[in-house]
Amino acid sequence: GLDLVIASGPAVVEFLNGDASLFQHEPIVFTTRPGVLGGPHSTGVVSAVDFTSTLSSALAAQPSTRQVFVVSGIAAFDRLYADLFKAQRKPFEGRVAFHDVAGLPIPDLQARVRELPPDSIIFYLSVSDDGAGHTVMPLDALDPIAAVANAPVYSWHEDALGHGIVGGRLHSSVSDARETARIALRVLRGEKAESIPVVAVDSYTHQFDWRQLQRWGIDEALLPPGSVIRYRESSFFDQYRSYV
């Protein structure tokens, strides 16, 4: 038999919960979101999606922002995040206007983001179905949008960094996996899964793309202390300082 089952993500946890005949005796260690927990022989990590802080980080970097264009798709996966974002953006509704851009084919999305007002930012959630019958990987949809946008693009997951977003307070799947692995090792060493408390983790760090900061003229002094600046390019003087 199996020594351990790892359920990675709330959809997997819900699938296992829906069929009691699956893994009746094997311990399960899960990574999930609040409100979706495993069965009796399980434990794991609960990692929330915190759009409030990611949006706050974006508005701190762009204090003149008055309009936020929220880009998402129409798949169930996309709508899940869109609904969550709507619930979490309420504290900001008196400060900025939100425009939901959902279900547009990629070419139409590109045309839309080429001509946004000057006080705008784009917040990219997820596009895995563009509304025209095209299924795409969310990062594959992000690249062409960010490439032509006339406003800075922000998002919420660290995998998006390097695909045209400025950055922000980004969720780390690596951090989730690390904490899940620690619990899995405890189970493999003999502890019962049900005896290990479920752990809530904050898997967010402030990360920014130096190239996008330069592109949009964003002052690094506006970024939170301790922010990680990636993709920084060295100047000629930095590279050859000793020779100079």
Side-chain angles (χ1 to χ4, degrees), residues 166-185:
V166 175
R169 189 168 185 264
L170 305 180
H171 186 273
S172 171
S173 294
V174 174
S175 178
D176 287 348
R178 184 182 299 115
E179 294 304 318
T180 303
R182 287 176 179 166
I183 294 176
L185 286 174

Side-chain angles (χ1 to χ4, degrees), residues 83-123:
D83 291 344
L84 184 58
F85 186 86
K86 286 179 182 178
Q88 294 189 8
R89 75 189 190 190
K90 293 185 183 300
F92 303 92
E93 290 179 345
R95 175 179 172 185
V96 296
F98 290 96
H99 308 276
D100 296 311
V101 184
L104 290 181
I106 301 300
D108 293 348
L109 263 176
Q110 289 180 300
R112 184 81 171 91
V113 301
R114 277 190 176 102
E115 300 180 352
L116 299 180
D119 57 356
S120 304
I121 65 170
I122 299 165
F123 199 97

Side-chain angles (χ1 to χ4, degrees), residues 18-40:
D19 188 345
S21 67
L22 293 172
F23 308 119
Q24 298 179 57
H25 307 293
E26 292 83 358
I28 297 174
V29 175
F30 53 72
T31 308
T32 188
R33 303 279 181 257
V36 182
L37 298 180

Side-chain angles (χ1 to χ4, degrees), residues 5-172:
V5 175
I6 293 182
S8 182
V12 178
V13 175
E14 288 180 327
F15 173 76
L16 295 179
N17 289 345
D19 188 345
S21 67
L22 293 172
F23 308 119
Q24 298 179 57
H25 307 293
E26 292 83 358
I28 297 174
V29 175
F30 53 72
T31 308
T32 188
R33 303 279 181 257
V36 182
L37 298 180
H41 303 294
S42 69
T43 187
V45 169
V46 175
S47 181
V49 174
D50 180 9
F51 289 133
T52 301
S53 66
T54 60
L55 181 57
S56 179
S57 175
L59 295 178
Q62 307 271 173
S64 63
T65 299
R66 295 296 175 267
Q67 303 187 69
V68 179
F69 289 81
V70 185
V71 175
S72 63
I74 63 166
F77 179 80
D78 303 327
R79 292 197 300 268
L80 173 69
Y81 288 118
D83 291 344
L84 184 58
F85 186 86
K86 286 179 182 178
Q88 294 189 8
R89 75 189 190 190
K90 293 185 183 300
F92 303 92
E93 290 179 345
R95 175 179 172 185
V96 296
F98 290 96
H99 308 276
D100 296 311
V101 184
L104 290 181
I106 301 300
D108 293 348
L109 263 176
Q110 289 180 300
R112 184 81 171 91
V113 301
R114 277 190 176 102
E115 300 180 352
L116 299 180
D119 57 356
S120 304
I121 65 170
I122 299 165
F123 199 97
Y124 181 84
L125 291 176
S126 168
V127 176
S128 53
D129 185 330
D130 68 357
H134 301 129
T135 301
V136 296
M137 296 298 292
L139 294 182
D140 291 339
L142 174 56
D143 284 295
I145 294 168
V148 301
N150 72 334
V153 182
Y154 291 83
S155 193
W156 62 278
H157 200 283
E158 70 175 6
D159 286 352
L161 202 65
H163 291 269
I165 71 166
V166 175
R169 189 168 185 264
L170 305 180
H171 186 273
S172 171

